[in-house]
Amino acid sequence: MKITFPHMGNMDIVLKALLSELGHEVITPPPITKKTLSLGVQYSPEFACLPLKVNIGNFIEAVEKGADTVIMAGGIGPCRFGYYNQVQREILKDMGVQLNMVVLEPPDQHIGELLKRLRLITGSNSWWKLIKAIRFSYEKCLALDAIEKEASRLRCRELQRGDVDKVYRQGRKAIDQARSVKEVRKKQEEYIQAMQALPLDWHKKVVKIGMVGEIYTLLEPTASGYMEKHLGYLGAEVDRSLYLSEWVNEHLFKGLLSVKGHKETRKLAKPYLSCVVGGHGQESIGGAIEYAHKGFDGVIQVGPLTCMPEIVAQSIMPLIEKDYGLPVLTIYTDEQTGEAGLITRLEAFIDMLERKKLAIRQIDI
């Protein structure tokens, strides 16, 4: 099998590690570009959300490189993500593209269900080898999240624009090339220290912004118009409510590992949204409240245009703003989203947060 997968943030490195350890030939799709999006938009239904369109573009470009099998996550609940694999399969079939699909859906009860599904790609490998491969790839996932978090924290303090991103890209590459768990952990530490050793303005007064929303637009920079990076360049320290390692542990490993989950986040959301609306609608509400408790200056909710769970959450955000005095900006993205317009909106939001902070300081004096 020549296996590929859709891009979503750093997931390509994690899946490449897992599949390579199991002896498969891996075809990583080319990085997401305008061509990727154009291909996805051309063959997807107009009303489909942005992640489906980008995924289709990824698959077409991967097939051009020789891929014959795709592995992707499945979903449950009201979100359309649960139907993605069926819709994408039909789209590719209509195009005459031959691609086998292996869908890893969250287990209903026990992690054993996931291992059983993984058997479809493990072939004759032993269970022990599979577990070792999962452990190795998950260590990469943790390390990538750690350096990404640090980059989002420090970007707003760099004296030379681009320094943090340069080290982050080097760290990403080093973790990708690491060949053992020990080496992965060493690279994580090495590149976090390298970021902290850059010329940084630790006395700079910055605003702190939490990002909540739909998983794909949170994790995949191209889907949010590189929002995290722009916020950093505009002087905001950024934290996300969701990272890949957390999602994998919570949904695929059923919370088996001691990695931050979102159980408490959903509890916080219950007074405002007591039922599951699919996707990360509840987590968006609970995440905004968590950021209010942590003293963040504002929250940005991001999602793909027409995302039902985020639309439900958006309708509740005014109550969160009122009850917690926390400004919330909601941004939806699609193939029409322009970078200049996005930066203007972020700039205006940060300006408003800075003025609010200044007014509070003056009242305190």
Side-chain angles (χ1 to χ4, degrees):
M1 284 194 289
K2 295 180 179 178
I3 305 182
T4 190
F5 35 75
H7 278 295
M8 187 171 77
N10 290 319
M11 190 174 75
D12 57 324
I13 294 175
V14 179
L15 283 177
K16 190 170 80 172
L18 172 69
L19 297 168
S20 298
E21 285 294 302
L22 295 173
H24 290 295
E25 184 176 347
V26 179
I27 308 287
T28 302
I32 298 170
T33 60
K34 286 184 180 175
K35 181 192 168 194
T36 313
L37 186 56
S38 295
L39 285 169
V41 169
Q42 182 179 350
Y43 293 105
S44 304
E46 185 185 358
F47 54 81
C49 57
L50 184 64
L52 184 141
K53 294 172 183 173
V54 178
N55 286 180
I56 287 290
N58 288 154
F59 298 158
I60 294 171
E61 291 186 312
V63 168
E64 287 171 356
K65 290 178 71 179
D68 57 29
T69 301
V70 61
I71 181 170
M72 66 176 292
I76 54 174
C79 175
R80 286 179 289 184
F81 180 62
Y83 301 100
Y84 266 24
N85 64 86
Q86 290 295 338
V87 175
Q88 288 166 338
R89 190 177 281 130
E90 290 301 316
I91 291 172
L92 294 170
K93 188 178 166 188
D94 288 347
M95 291 173 60
V97 173
Q98 298 297 320
L99 198 59
N100 298 318
M101 276 200 169
V102 178
V103 182
L104 300 179
E105 292 182 328
D108 292 329
Q109 299 291 333
H110 191 267
I111 192 172
E113 294 174 37
L114 174 67
L115 294 175
K116 197 184 248 183
R117 286 166 192 153
L118 278 171
R119 261 298 175 200
L120 292 169
I121 56 168
T122 57
S124 58
N125 287 298
S126 65
W127 285 113
W128 175 239
K129 189 165 184 181
L130 173 60
I131 290 168
K132 273 180 71 178
I134 291 174
R135 184 189 171 215
F136 178 55
S137 56
Y138 193 69
E139 281 292 338
K140 289 199 174 193
C141 191
L142 289 168
L144 289 162
D145 282 352
I147 64 166
E148 195 177 13
K149 280 181 191 176
E150 195 63 1
S152 296
R153 188 174 78 90
L154 300 179
R155 197 176 279 121
C156 60
R157 300 184 183 280
E158 63 187 4
L159 296 180
Q160 181 67 40
R161 178 176 285 199
D163 274 358
V164 170
D165 283 319
K166 186 178 175 187
V167 176
Y168 169 68
R169 285 193 297 272
Q170 290 169 349
R172 190 180 184 276
K173 188 176 177 185
I175 291 168
D176 183 24
Q177 293 173 345
R179 291 292 169 261
S180 67
V181 169
K182 188 178 174 184
E183 192 182 352
V184 170
R185 289 174 178 170
K186 187 180 168 191
K187 295 297 176 190
Q188 172 189 328
E189 195 60 35
E190 186 180 319
Y191 281 92
I192 285 178
Q193 286 177 3
M195 280 188 213
Q196 292 170 349
L198 289 168
L200 301 169
D201 182 358
W202 291 103
H203 300 292
K204 185 177 179 182
K205 295 187 186 305
V206 300
V207 293
K208 294 177 76 173
I209 294 178
M211 286 181 66
V212 301
E214 185 269 344
I215 184 170
Y216 190 82
T217 42
L218 277 180
L219 268 57
E220 174 51 51
T222 59
S224 69
Y226 298 96
M227 196 178 293
E228 254 179 274
K229 186 177 75 174
H230 290 311
L231 284 168
Y233 289 166
L234 290 168
E237 184 180 317
V238 183
D239 185 70
R240 285 205 319 251
S241 62
L242 181 65
Y243 286 86
L244 183 61
S245 57
E246 296 166 1
W247 186 88
V248 170
N249 182 46
E250 194 162 19
H251 292 271
L252 297 184
F253 298 166
K254 302 302 283 181
L256 199 65
L257 307 175
S258 57
V259 173
K260 175 185 172 285
H262 295 88
K263 195 175 174 184
E264 294 303 316
T265 312
R266 288 188 286 274
K267 271 187 189 173
L268 286 172
K270 279 199 172 176
Y272 300 91
L273 184 61
S274 59
C275 62
V276 175
V277 293
H280 294 87
Q282 268 189 317
E283 286 86 347
S284 291
I285 297 296
I289 296 171
E290 279 183 333
Y291 284 125
H293 288 165
K294 289 177 184 173
F296 275 60
D297 300 297
V299 161
I300 295 181
Q301 179 200 12
V302 61
L305 189 68
T306 73
C307 176
M308 185 274 287
E310 294 307 320
I311 289 171
V312 173
Q314 183 194 4
S315 70
I316 297 166
M317 286 299 181
L319 285 175
I320 306 298
E321 288 185 285
K322 183 183 168 190
D323 292 352
Y324 291 90
L326 181 75
V328 179
L329 172 67
T330 299
I331 295 179
Y332 291 109
T333 61
D334 68 359
E335 61 270 26
Q336 306 295 338
T337 301
E339 197 171 353
L342 175 68
I343 293 172
T344 302
R345 293 187 70 187
L346 299 178
E347 207 169 13
F349 187 61
I350 289 175
D351 186 55
M352 185 269 290
L353 296 180
E354 287 173 341
R355 285 168 185 269
K356 184 172 178 255
K357 275 188 92 166
L358 181 63
I360 292 171
R361 276 203 297 271
Q362 286 173 342
I363 289 170
D364 290 342
I365 291 169

